[in-house]
Amino acid sequence: MPGFLTSLARIGSYRSLPYALACAVLTVPVSPFALAAAVSVEAESRVRALLALLALAVLMGLLGLLGPVRRIGIGLANTLLGTAIPAPDGRPGARSRLRSGLWLALHTAASGLLLTVLAFLGLGLLVPAVWLTGGQDSISLFWDDVPLGAWTVPFAVVLLFAALALAAGATRGFRAGAAALLGPSGTERAALAERRSAVLAQRNRLARELHDSIGHTLTTSTIQAAAAAELVEADPAQVRRALGTIEEASRTALEDLDHVLGLLREEPAVKAPARTLAEVDVLAVRAREAGLDVRLTVAGPVAALPATVSREGYRIVQEGLTNALRHAGPGAVDVRVEAGPDRLGIAVVNALPGDGPRTGRRGLAGLAERVEALRGELDAGPDGQQWRLRATIPLRAGT
């Protein structure tokens, strides 16, 4: 209760008023039909008014069965009530249409009652003004004449509090009802969860792409720049080659970065940079220029590998060389890529760093996820005085 009383001081607690008025506007096209139905019944005026409201609610409920009307209802609730109901994706099912129609009928009836009661309470607020002006000595209240006096001031205060409490309570009720009846059904929630899962998977994939591509480029460029700084006077030709390698690697990284940012911004898709095992020799050349003694062996029809497998294989070799540069420093690295009839095998072996096994595992975790998605296996860890990265990816189902 204290929380509700505190909410009366917030303007957002009275969103029910514009929401009810919006409903009144929506009922204008169907109101003549409801009035015609009420007038055709022989009854007292108050009964006819009630029948007109009920007929109007039923007609609005029937309109709520339409998909576009449901979208309008969700938009009004989100805009005027501050709810966060997701927009429907595709055509709503029968159950969603029924829930939408029920809510529009309840919304119409509740809005009519709310505006009517608030109008009567508003008239009651004028009672002190009548007494203060001295225009009359009594007023008809509860079907009886009541003399005017000082009691009208606290009476008006009570009516004002009642009006505010009613509007605030109606706001809470409208929000709860809209969320329950206009919100997604079980099937729609499952579809939303699936889309969110797809978005998260896409973001994880993009994070791995950035880690593999940008991380490799920065590591190579840093080592190349350091080497060039030491050789700037002794071997200018080597410095020029190092700068050329840095320029080429940076351009490649920019292409990858532009592609990833385009996906994150949901811009029109651009052609993704296709790095495959057909370019594994380029990786080896860059690593050699950074100081690694790369001994590359490629066996089998690498060019005939499936595109997805070939791209992941490229990333595996890239991660292995990056880790060797980052953790072990210049030295010998054996890289073997073997494309067999049933599986692709990749091995990257280098000396362990002098301070023991490496601790960074983020890149390896990303590689493991990618290899597992292709039903493959990844193994990385120390093997004697060496660090060995091995990956096996099947090329056929069941192999």
Side-chain angles (χ1 to χ4, degrees), residues 98-354:
L98 289 175
R99 292 165 59 237
S100 176
L102 176 60
W103 170 244
L104 196 53
L106 292 175
H107 179 197
T108 302
S111 296
L113 292 174
L114 174 66
L115 294 177
T116 301
V117 173
L118 288 179
F120 278 108
L121 292 177
L123 291 175
L125 295 176
L126 299 178
V127 173
V130 175
W131 171 62
L132 290 174
T133 57
Q136 59 188 69
D137 298 328
S138 63
I139 189 172
S140 179
L141 187 65
F142 301 116
W143 302 280
D144 195 6
D145 288 336
V146 179
L148 295 175
W151 64 269
T152 59
V153 175
F155 177 72
V157 173
V158 172
L159 291 183
L160 177 61
F161 177 80
L164 295 178
L166 177 62
T171 300
R172 291 191 175 190
F174 280 146
R175 283 173 176 162
L181 296 176
L182 292 180
S185 63
T187 303
E188 290 171 333
R189 281 195 294 269
L192 286 172
E194 186 175 348
R195 287 199 297 273
R196 291 193 192 100
S197 178
V199 170
L200 290 176
Q202 172 74 345
R203 291 184 178 275
N204 286 335
R205 185 185 70 80
L206 294 178
R208 292 194 297 265
E209 291 285 342
L210 283 179
H211 177 275
D212 294 343
S213 177
I214 307 300
H216 175 78
T217 300
L218 291 177
T219 300
T220 303
S221 299
T222 300
I223 294 175
Q224 289 275 34
E230 295 180 359
L231 300 174
V232 67
E233 295 181 357
D235 193 350
Q238 178 64 26
V239 171
R240 283 193 294 271
R241 287 194 295 271
L243 293 177
T245 301
I246 293 174
E247 179 185 5
E248 182 183 354
S250 300
R251 186 179 295 110
T252 299
L254 283 175
E255 291 176 2
D256 288 341
L257 185 61
D258 182 65
H259 170 65
V260 171
L261 291 180
L263 292 176
L264 290 175
R265 293 171 183 155
E266 297 183 354
E267 295 175 350
V270 296
K271 186 177 180 180
R275 317 293 182 200
T276 66
L277 283 175
E279 302 174 74
V280 70
D281 56 332
V282 177
L283 280 177
V285 170
R286 291 179 183 171
R288 290 188 188 108
E289 292 175 349
L292 288 179
D293 180 15
V294 179
R295 297 189 285 266
L296 174 64
T297 302
V298 179
V302 173
L305 289 171
T308 302
V309 174
S310 189
R311 284 195 298 268
E312 297 306 327
Y314 178 92
R315 295 301 188 190
I316 292 170
V317 175
Q318 185 181 55
E319 179 67 19
L321 293 176
T322 301
N323 286 341
L325 277 171
R326 184 178 297 160
H327 300 288
V333 181
D334 290 316
V335 179
R336 180 172 181 82
V337 178
E338 184 175 359
D342 299 323
R343 62 186 66 245
L344 169 67
I346 297 176
V348 181
V349 182
N350 60 273
L352 279 174

